[in-house]
Amino acid sequence: MPRGRYSLHDPHDHTPLAEEHFHCAPGPSGWRYVSQLTTPSGTEPDSASRQGTVTGSVDLTLDELGRPIRLELHAADWQVRAAALDGVTWVRTDPTGTEATEGNVPAHAFTGTSPAFLVATARLLRLTPSADAPATRVRLVAFTDPVLAPRTLDQSWALIASETHATDNGPLTVDEYRVTALDTGEQHAVHIAGDVVLAAPGIELEHLESPPSVFT
């Protein structure tokens, strides 16, 4: 069961946004990822504390095909519960808890700032590595911070390389994806090993206590 910590920052000006303390694991019916988001290191009055104030959480469960069968997000007292149902369906609750709004769109899955969504999309698409393979288009609903506002977007994903590296814990296969935002044409690289994101815009893996899980 991989357990560790990501640091999240603005991919444009590198402003620290949060730290995400996570653990994840595959199971007989799919994969689950659970995390807490905290204020970045150094922003707390007592910066000697290893973990700052909790600001949100992520709880994502995929089925064996990579579909999101359960998603629960918390941020700034906002809450989202969602799943793949007639496309994707969600309920978003305001901070007072007195009102809730429902949404449904014909999309494939969800995305957001958490590295969990990159692993989930890669798992859903299950691409074959090829430098010249055509990209696969995917429609996602993004829940944007700080109020978890939903936004539908289209991306294309291509697995352009897959390399195996020798480590002290055995071979480690790293997949390099090229992800394109279809509304702007902006491209970026995402590197994933098993169920851990090694590098992506706005994401840095700061600590990992055990090797990534290997999907079968």
Side-chain angles (χ1 to χ4, degrees), residues 67-86:
R67 297 172 298 192
I69 57 175
R70 180 179 179 273
L71 171 64
E72 185 169 330
L73 302 175
H74 294 265
D77 295 327
W78 291 86
Q79 176 179 287
V80 166
R81 287 192 173 96
L85 180 65
D86 296 327

Side-chain angles (χ1 to χ4, degrees), residues 117-148:
F117 295 115
L118 297 176
V119 175
T121 303
R123 183 64 177 162
L124 177 69
L125 298 178
R126 304 193 187 200
L127 301 176
T128 300
S130 174
D132 56 359
T136 298
R137 181 169 179 156
V138 61
R139 173 160 290 182
L140 305 169
V141 172
F143 294 108
T144 55
D145 295 330
V147 296
L148 302 179

Side-chain angles (χ1 to χ4, degrees), residues 80-107:
V80 166
R81 287 192 173 96
L85 180 65
D86 296 327
V88 295
T89 300
W90 68 90
V91 176
R92 176 173 173 263
T93 306
D94 65 299
T96 65
T98 58
E99 296 184 10
T101 57
E102 297 183 4
N104 171 265
V105 296

Side-chain angles (χ1 to χ4, degrees), residues 116-182:
F117 295 115
L118 297 176
V119 175
T121 303
R123 183 64 177 162
L124 177 69
L125 298 178
R126 304 193 187 200
L127 301 176
T128 300
S130 174
D132 56 359
T136 298
R137 181 169 179 156
V138 61
R139 173 160 290 182
L140 305 169
V141 172
F143 294 108
T144 55
D145 295 330
V147 296
L148 302 179
R151 180 171 68 93
T152 303
L153 54 86
D154 293 303
Q155 295 179 339
S156 69
W157 281 60
L159 177 53
I160 62 175
S162 184
E163 298 182 354
T164 300
H165 304 269
T167 72
D168 293 340
N169 296 302
L172 179 69
T173 300
V174 178
D175 294 326
E176 180 183 353
Y177 294 89
R178 183 178 62 244
V179 180
T180 304
L182 295 183

